Amino acid sequence: MVRQERALRTREALIESAATVFDRDGFSVASLAAISSLAGVSNGALHFHFSNKAGVADAVEQAASERLERLVAAHGEAVGSALQMLVDTSHRLARRLGEDVVLRAGFELSRDHVRQGGRDLYRQWHAWVEEALKRAEGEGALNGIAPEQVASSVVAATTGFEVLGARDPKWLSRRTVTRFWQLLLPQLATPPVLGSLVAAGGPPGDHARRTPGGSPAARAGEEDD
Amino acid sequence: MVRQERALRTREALIESAATVFDRDGFSVASLAAISSLAGVSNGALHFHFSNKAGVADAVEQAASERLERLVAAHGEAVGSALQMLVDTSHRLARRLGEDVVLRAGFELSRDHVRQGGRDLYRQWHAWVEEALKRAEGEGALNGIAPEQVASSVVAATTGFEVLGARDPKWLSRRTVTRFWQLLLPQLATPPVLGSLVAAGGPPGDHARRTPGGSPAARAGEEDD
């Protein structure tokens, strides 16, 4: 049991190290030696868990996919509005991409066209965004616009934040994401719903760390700068 | 003179081949042998023009940067509205990304964080978008929204189209880009300007190839599906 726990912990350390090395060097350049060295384990220990670099990448992508799943599920049923849930989740995704190297490397691996990956985090995110917008439509919150139409623009913008944010963190800031929602929400939401939406993200309890620009007062349609 | 012309043509063929190999394999995996072989020239001929792979990549990025420059300048002063110019140019960029491997590889190289590139096509595109929006503001076409605020959302979305379009061409389709503008323009433009804007792109003369969804009738705020 103790041995199993240790093995599990080594595997997790290797996934974290691999994500760091993939994020820094890219999949093609990353070496297994660099990954095991960063995790503080031998090459033999790495090969006990993974047969090759593709196997390590699959494990990183799988771990990232599970984190994305938890991230989108975190909102739960606490907030009534699916549109607010979508806004809040996009903020949470942007923040986590800046903090969580496994999540970030997972997206990077999903768009590495040399690799034939198993999971596809963009597809997973797109499916969730579309689902959230369909829920908003069911709530009568959408202003006569088809969920699929909105989903492609939301996924494109968040993909842009992710890609550009890998080189400059300001693309993942609350301000950047808020600006996007301030532009989009007035066209998206029915007038009664719009008044209750917070482009900068939901109630404080849901966001442990809030920037000054993300106060609940920064509502859709207003500028916070 | 004939020899110079031939050298220039060889250099251009090498840039085209290099873009194809970078686009297919990524910068890290791409080999000089694959590039010269695809161009139908010897390794020696390649080394006459470029000292190493980084030099080839710089040349591809430089060529892509010049194409982007021509692409954004193509509109000229013919169209009075800077907002319509921005919409049209985003459509043209999406279409060219699907057709022009040098342009596509240039963007890919600009976001390859292993490479320390000279040019940065995202920065070039961002600067142009912001300039166009400032011009729109000067024309009184912006609905009280700061050009910088809009620029980051436009650049994020077009970056998303570019990145996702590398794996699935539908992200670069006129329909996808039109949907984005249909969502954005009503919040962006003053009411009198909005009525004259075409989210699907400007007059037919400006777009040789138009999809059925891109008819001038598909105006901002209307859905074309």
Side-chain angles (χ1 to χ4, degrees):
Chain A
M1 197 56 186
V2 170
R3 187 176 292 182
Q4 274 182 10
E5 264 174 36
R6 199 161 49 206
L8 198 67
R9 226 172 289 159
T10 301
R11 192 177 187 279
E12 277 166 8
L14 281 166
I15 287 175
E16 197 81 21
S17 304
T20 305
V21 174
F22 287 143
D23 182 50
R24 188 188 64 203
D25 300 341
F27 172 72
S28 302
V29 172
S31 76
L32 291 181
I35 292 168
S36 56
S37 156
L38 187 64
V41 304
S42 67
N43 258 317
L46 186 149
H47 282 287
F48 172 79
H49 290 282
F50 307 105
S51 53
N52 53 30
K53 192 162 71 169
V56 183
D58 287 346
V60 170
E61 207 176 30
Q62 176 65 38
S65 170
E66 286 160 14
R67 290 181 192 199
L68 178 60
E69 194 55 45
R70 280 202 299 277
L71 187 148
V72 299
H75 219 284
E77 305 296 317
V79 171
S81 158
L83 269 186
Q84 188 65 58
M85 175 183 76
L86 174 59
V87 171
D88 293 356
T89 305
S90 71
H91 278 293
R92 198 158 48 231
L93 176 60
R95 196 173 68 236
R96 294 302 299 152
L97 281 168
E99 296 167 349
D100 184 341
V101 72
V102 171
L103 189 63
R104 195 161 62 236
F107 274 98
E108 285 159 0
L109 287 166
S110 280
R111 69 177 137 91
D112 191 314
H113 49 302
V114 174
R115 233 185 107 246
Q116 299 291 332
R119 314 279 318 181
D120 179 336
L121 272 79
Y122 294 101
R123 208 176 288 270
Q124 185 181 345
W125 171 240
H126 194 166
W128 185 84
V129 168
E130 207 164 294
E131 206 42 51
L133 286 162
K134 279 181 184 158
R135 224 173 104 181
E137 189 185 40
E139 292 168 3
L142 287 198
N143 210 356
I145 297 174
E148 300 77 17
Q149 173 168 9
V150 183
S152 69
S153 293
V154 171
V155 170
T158 48
T159 298
F161 297 146
E162 182 257 318
V163 170
L164 297 164
R167 306 181 318 146
D168 180 351
K170 84 159 197 290
W171 287 97
L172 295 171
S173 70
R174 179 167 297 274
R175 166 174 285 200
T176 304
V177 179
T178 299
R179 285 172 162 186
F180 170 69
W181 286 115
Q182 285 172 337
L183 278 174
L184 215 64
L185 287 176
Q187 180 65 7
L188 206 62
T190 52
V193 171
L194 183 60
S196 70
L197 290 175
V198 185
D206 190 52
H207 298 287
R209 306 192 317 157
R210 293 171 68 82
T211 61
S215 76
R219 291 188 179 271
E222 289 174 21
E223 289 173 48
D224 65 341
D225 55 337
Chain B
M1 197 57 185
V2 171
R3 188 175 292 184
Q4 275 182 10
E5 264 172 35
R6 200 161 48 207
L8 198 66
R9 228 172 288 158
T10 301
R11 192 176 188 278
E12 278 167 8
L14 281 165
I15 287 175
E16 196 81 20
S17 305
T20 305
V21 174
F22 288 143
D23 182 50
R24 188 188 65 202
D25 300 343
F27 171 72
S28 302
V29 172
S31 77
L32 291 181
I35 292 167
S36 55
S37 158
L38 187 64
V41 304
S42 67
N43 259 318
L46 187 149
H47 282 287
F48 172 78
H49 290 281
F50 306 106
S51 53
N52 52 30
K53 191 162 73 169
V56 183
D58 287 347
V60 170
E61 207 175 31
Q62 177 65 37
S65 169
E66 286 160 13
R67 291 181 191 199
L68 178 60
E69 194 55 46
R70 280 201 299 277
L71 186 147
V72 299
H75 217 285
E77 305 295 319
V79 171
S81 158
L83 268 186
Q84 188 64 57
M85 176 184 74
L86 174 59
V87 171
D88 293 355
T89 304
S90 71
H91 278 291
R92 198 158 47 231
L93 176 60
R95 196 174 66 235
R96 294 302 300 152
L97 281 168
E99 296 167 348
D100 184 341
V101 72
V102 172
L103 189 64
R104 195 161 63 234
F107 274 97
E108 285 159 0
L109 286 166
S110 281
R111 69 178 136 91
D112 192 314
H113 49 303
V114 173
R115 232 185 107 246
Q116 298 291 333
R119 316 277 320 181
D120 180 336
L121 272 79
Y122 294 101
R123 208 175 289 270
Q124 186 181 344
W125 172 239
H126 194 165
W128 184 84
V129 169
E130 206 163 295
E131 207 42 53
L133 286 161
K134 280 182 182 154
R135 222 174 105 183
E137 189 184 42
E139 292 168 4
L142 286 198
N143 210 357
I145 297 174
E148 300 77 17
Q149 173 168 10
V150 183
S152 69
S153 294
V154 171
V155 170
T158 48
T159 298
F161 296 145
E162 181 258 317
V163 170
L164 297 165
R167 307 182 315 147
D168 180 352
K170 84 160 198 289
W171 287 97
L172 296 171
S173 70
R174 180 167 296 273
R175 167 174 283 201
T176 304
V177 178
T178 300
R179 285 172 161 186
F180 170 68
W181 287 115
Q182 285 172 336
L183 278 174
L184 216 64
L185 288 176
Q187 180 65 9
L188 206 63
T190 52
V193 171
L194 182 60
S196 70
L197 291 175
V198 185
D206 191 51
H207 298 287
R209 305 191 316 154
R210 293 171 68 82
T211 61
S215 75
R219 292 188 177 270
E222 288 172 24
E223 288 173 49
D224 64 343
D225 55 336

